[in-house]
Amino acid sequence: MPRFQIHHITEYNYTAMVRDSANQVILFPVKDEYQEVLKHELLISGEPHVDIHKDYFGNDVGSFMRAEPHKRLMIDCKMAVITKSRPLPLDNFAIEDQWEHLRQIRCQVPYIDFLKVDHFDGIEEMRNYVNSINSSLLTPLQTSLDLTKYVYENFLYIKGITTVETTLTEIWSLKAGVCQDFAHILSALLRTLKIPARYVSGYICPNKNGMRGEGATHAWVEAYIPFYGWLGFDPTNNCLVQDLHVRLAVGRSFSDCSPVKGTYKGISDHKLEVGVSVSYENGQMSSESPSFVTLQQASSAEKAQTNSWRKHMEIMQQQQQQQQQQQEQQLQQ
């Protein structure tokens, strides 16, 4: 049972005074038989009162308002968590019985929200791929493992090419991204096959072999396995989720699980930086400090310059124009 220390800092710096900053935080680790929370400290600049409630998905959500004028807002969260391995499904039920069970629960409240596939430009291509899978020969568990492997092998892990606002259309076209993008694609694939799938936010913790996304915020997918329940699949690392993952929240997508989001009154330009450290050492706490990454520059001009998807589309357009010019020159000759 590994014991982890997690330090998550979110810092907003504004170019001028702002006020009435209303925020929501989902920075409360799940508490259940597989995850024990030993310590949880939430410090916010200005020391506003934090109201905590359960949202629609059962996540603990904190809400606060900082009304007085300020140029900086920092949300500092420290956690100590013990994770435990869970027994894996035996997968010994008849294949047709498992798929029939999934058909029977399609309209039930706990699952219906996790079966809807949002429309995007590549959905027909995705459906064609999913339809090529002979599910009559595979159990839902085997299918989920195969789809996890498909995302891992066919999408490049590239930091900085996407943002939290990147759409499924963009991810499917780029065939690249980071953990949240991999999770969104896997969710869509599973839901297309009528396997309930929910987005999970949290952290992945260090191990001696190293994993993509370790020591930072992370995302993966939980699929509903018949006669077992929700089981985690990490397409970023092509593995089942066990005691190296710390769960924060579940939802339909990132927007339901965002660790911090909010609004304020004042000038629009700001800089958002997030620092995360996740560590353990033979059961003893580590004192590693978070390393900050700038996630957002709110100036519209800066966004236009740093939007990786826009750059990708510009390059594609330039290539098409060059090909068209070459074809015209060949015809003239």
Side-chain angles (χ1 to χ4, degrees):
M1 295 188 297
R3 175 177 173 175
F4 300 106
Q5 174 175 284
I6 302 166
H7 192 183
H8 188 150
I9 299 177
T10 304
E11 185 172 341
Y12 292 90
N13 286 284
Y14 308 97
T15 55
M17 288 289 185
V18 301
R19 60 186 176 87
D20 294 341
S21 176
N23 296 272
Q24 172 183 290
V25 295
I26 306 181
L27 290 168
F28 306 91
V30 171
K31 299 177 183 177
D32 61 18
E33 59 185 313
Y34 302 113
Q35 192 164 285
E36 180 183 356
V37 180
L38 302 176
K39 181 184 74 171
H40 183 271
E41 296 177 358
L42 182 61
L43 302 175
I44 302 170
S45 55
E47 300 183 353
H49 173 72
V50 180
D51 290 314
I52 300 175
H53 67 277
K54 293 281 187 183
D55 68 5
Y56 175 75
F57 301 105
N59 304 311
D60 285 327
V61 179
S63 302
F64 68 89
M65 168 76 79
R66 188 174 180 190
E68 74 277 8
H70 55 281
K71 289 187 68 175
R72 177 175 173 267
L73 176 66
M74 186 172 75
I75 302 166
D76 188 339
C77 187
K78 295 179 180 178
M79 318 166 217
V81 180
I82 290 178
T83 57
K84 304 173 185 178
S85 297
R86 64 178 66 201
L88 298 177
L90 297 176
D91 206 30
N92 55 357
F93 293 93
I95 295 175
E96 59 272 19
D97 291 345
Q98 295 194 48
W99 288 105
E100 177 60 28
H101 178 72
L102 291 180
R103 281 189 286 272
Q104 292 175 359
I105 67 170
R106 285 179 188 176
C107 297
Q108 295 182 16
V109 172
Y111 313 106
I112 193 170
D113 288 311
F114 303 115
L115 283 167
K116 181 181 177 181
V117 182
D118 294 330
H119 180 80
F120 66 99
D121 289 351
I123 194 167
E124 289 304 320
E125 184 182 353
M126 177 179 285
R127 284 174 180 161
N128 290 336
Y129 170 73
V130 166
N131 291 335
S132 69
I133 299 173
N134 192 345
S135 59
S136 63
L137 301 177
L138 299 172
T139 66
L141 173 60
Q142 292 167 341
T143 302
S144 300
L145 288 168
D146 282 356
L147 291 176
T148 300
K149 183 180 179 181
Y150 169 81
V151 177
Y152 176 79
E153 292 182 344
N154 290 275
F155 288 74
L156 298 175
Y157 183 77
I158 304 175
K159 294 181 180 180
I161 196 171
T162 58
T163 71
V164 295
E165 298 175 351
T166 302
T167 65
L168 275 174
T169 295
E170 296 166 349
I171 301 167
W172 188 258
S173 297
L174 286 171
K175 292 293 188 294
V178 290
C179 58
Q180 69 201 19
D181 307 304
F182 284 40
H184 284 146
I185 291 294
L186 179 57
S187 295
L189 286 164
L190 290 166
R191 292 169 185 171
T192 302
L193 270 176
K194 304 303 181 184
I195 300 175
R198 59 190 190 185
Y199 183 100
V200 188
S201 68
Y203 309 92
I204 188 168
C205 302
N207 70 354
K208 61 183 180 181
N209 296 320
M211 299 179 79
R212 289 169 166 176
E214 69 177 9
T217 54
H218 194 53
W220 58 94
V221 174
E222 286 182 347
Y224 181 78
I225 304 301
F227 314 117
Y228 173 83
W230 295 102
L231 181 64
F233 298 83
D234 185 347
T236 307
N237 293 290
N238 191 28
C239 68
L240 290 174
V241 172
Q242 279 289 355
D243 58 1
L244 290 178
H245 295 69
V246 174
R247 291 166 290 136
L248 276 181
V250 300
R252 291 161 296 194
S253 63
F254 171 82
S255 61
D256 294 324
C257 306
S258 176
V260 179
K261 60 183 176 182
T263 186
Y264 58 87
K265 293 180 180 178
I267 193 166
S268 61
D269 291 359
H270 70 262
K271 182 170 72 172
L272 166 61
E273 293 183 304
V274 175
V276 177
S277 70
V278 183
S279 57
Y280 75 97
E281 187 175 335
N282 298 324
Q284 300 299 316
M285 291 302 175
S286 168
S287 59
E288 292 183 13
S289 299
S291 55
F292 282 88
V293 175
T294 300
L295 294 185
Q296 185 181 36
Q297 298 278 1
S299 165
S300 58
E302 290 172 337
K303 281 185 178 180
Q305 292 174 359
T306 59
N307 189 311
S308 297
W309 168 249
R310 183 169 298 177
K311 288 181 179 178
H312 169 75
M313 293 303 294
E314 288 175 353
I315 292 172
M316 293 293 291
Q317 196 172 35
Q318 289 173 1
Q319 290 176 346
Q320 290 173 356
Q321 291 173 348
Q322 290 173 356
Q323 291 174 355
Q324 187 175 0
Q325 290 174 355
Q326 290 175 355
Q327 290 173 355
E328 291 175 353
Q329 290 175 356
Q330 290 175 354
L331 289 173
Q332 291 174 357
Q333 294 175 355

